[in-house]
Amino acid sequence: MLKRLFFNERVILLAIILNALVIFLLYFPELRYNRWLLAVDHLFIGFFIVEVIVKLSVLKPRSYFGGAWNRFDFFVTVGSLPVFLEGLVTISDAAGLLVLLRLFRLIRLVRFLRFIPNIEQVVTGLGRAIRASVFVLVALVFLNFLFAILTCHFYADIAPEYFGDPLVSIYSIFQLFTLEGWNDIPAAIVDNESDPLSGLGIGMTRLYFAVVVVLGGIFGMSLANAVFIDEMMMDNTKDLEEKVDALTAEIRELRRSLGGGVVEPSHEVPSE
């Protein structure tokens, strides 16, 4: 009976959904320390612990840990065990520990991903896309670093809220790369310019930030997105190419068979 229960994917999915609902309720301030909800949450942890034990006993450790999703379930379940301390430890005793426990409670919801159709193909495509775009990402990071140092050198005193130090400058340049508020930063620099009559300086400032936006935001980010999406869609393209190749092979075979079955006219001269 336990085997049928815990090997039933619908039951496990239902348990994950109900557990997610309980966790959702626990994040309301008035329900955060509700002992009934905490008890139900602990019951779900116990349910998942029994699931791991049953699957280990049926599949045996070698077969169980041979599956990637089983290893993930085991890690999340074992990592959730300290949540049992939440009802015994107060915030004044260990605030950091409680935050860690709540984070593991949220990680348990990631188990829902295993029930998404074709999730293995999505994860494989994601890994392939990351590997393919790593050089573009490295180039963007280097470009961000270069612009951050350069901008910090010239505009740290004029706009310290954006370029006061290298770390803040890196974040501001990345914000320009994403085209988020790209016109607000140059406008803030122009407004803070100590010499409002310096038309050349204002023009150079606007030109500089236009170059940053074009190189990093339009060209750089667009190239990264194009490479990433192309690799993610490669599985669909590959399947289509395989179908076209198979269809081409069938057409060639059909032509060959039809050509062998047709009687060609004879060119011999009949004897008298």
Side-chain angles (χ1 to χ4, degrees):
M1 180 178 178
L2 288 178
K3 180 179 177 180
R4 289 199 306 269
L5 176 65
F6 290 104
F7 278 84
N8 190 325
E9 297 295 341
R10 292 184 179 180
V11 173
I12 301 300
L13 177 60
L14 178 62
I16 293 174
I17 294 175
L18 293 177
N19 190 201
L21 179 61
V22 172
I23 293 173
F24 175 78
L25 294 175
L26 281 169
Y27 273 86
F28 284 94
E30 61 273 17
L31 299 175
R32 184 165 298 171
Y33 302 105
N34 186 286
R35 57 181 184 176
W36 293 107
L37 286 177
L38 288 173
V40 174
D41 186 47
H42 294 168
L43 284 176
F44 278 112
I45 298 176
F47 177 85
F48 295 132
I49 292 173
V50 176
E51 176 200 2
V52 170
I53 294 174
V54 171
K55 288 185 176 179
L56 275 171
S57 62
V58 173
L59 299 176
K60 305 306 178 185
R62 185 172 183 178
S63 177
Y64 177 82
F65 289 107
W69 282 113
N70 289 335
R71 294 195 299 269
F72 176 78
D73 291 345
F74 180 84
F75 168 76
V76 173
T77 302
V78 172
S80 302
L81 292 179
V83 177
F84 286 113
L85 300 175
E86 189 169 11
L88 305 176
V89 180
T90 60
I91 295 180
S92 58
D93 294 333
L97 177 62
L98 286 182
V99 172
L100 182 62
L101 298 181
R102 293 192 183 107
L103 288 177
F104 260 105
R105 177 193 291 161
L106 292 177
I107 292 174
R108 296 211 309 274
L109 303 183
V110 183
R111 291 190 60 185
F112 184 81
L113 292 177
R114 64 178 297 183
F115 297 98
I116 297 178
N118 301 322
I119 185 62
E120 290 82 5
Q121 296 181 7
V122 174
V123 173
T124 302
L126 182 62
R128 185 176 58 249
I130 292 175
R131 290 193 299 270
S133 57
V134 63
F135 293 109
V136 179
L137 294 177
V138 169
L140 279 175
V141 170
F142 175 76
L143 192 63
N144 189 343
F145 180 81
L146 181 64
F147 278 134
I149 298 299
L150 189 63
T151 312
C152 183
H153 175 78
F154 287 106
Y155 299 103
D157 296 331
I158 300 176
E161 68 275 18
Y162 294 113
F163 308 107
D165 60 65
L167 289 178
V168 176
S169 184
I170 286 174
Y171 176 78
S172 299
I173 294 297
F174 178 75
Q175 184 177 348
L176 290 172
F177 281 4
T178 61
L179 305 180
E180 178 67 26
W182 66 270
N183 56 339
D184 295 336
I185 294 178
I189 292 176
V190 171
D191 292 339
N192 295 337
E193 182 66 50
S194 58
D195 185 7
L197 300 178
S198 178
L200 180 61
I202 293 176
M204 293 300 293
T205 295
R206 290 172 174 168
L207 176 62
Y208 171 76
F209 283 102
V211 171
V212 172
V213 170
V214 170
L215 290 181
I218 298 179
F219 289 155
M221 297 297 287
S222 298
L223 179 61
N225 290 334
V227 173
F228 193 88
I229 293 174
D230 182 65
E231 290 295 329
M232 284 291 293
M233 298 297 294
M234 183 175 290
D235 281 342
N236 295 336
T237 306
K238 185 177 180 181
D239 292 341
L240 182 60
E241 290 176 352
E242 290 177 353
K243 291 179 180 178
V244 171
D245 292 340
L247 182 60
T248 303
E250 290 179 2
I251 292 174
R252 289 176 179 173
E253 185 65 26
L254 182 61
R255 286 179 176 177
R256 190 179 300 113
S257 62
L258 291 177
V262 176
V263 179
E264 296 182 356
S266 176
H267 299 286
E268 297 180 357
V269 178
S271 58
E272 295 180 355

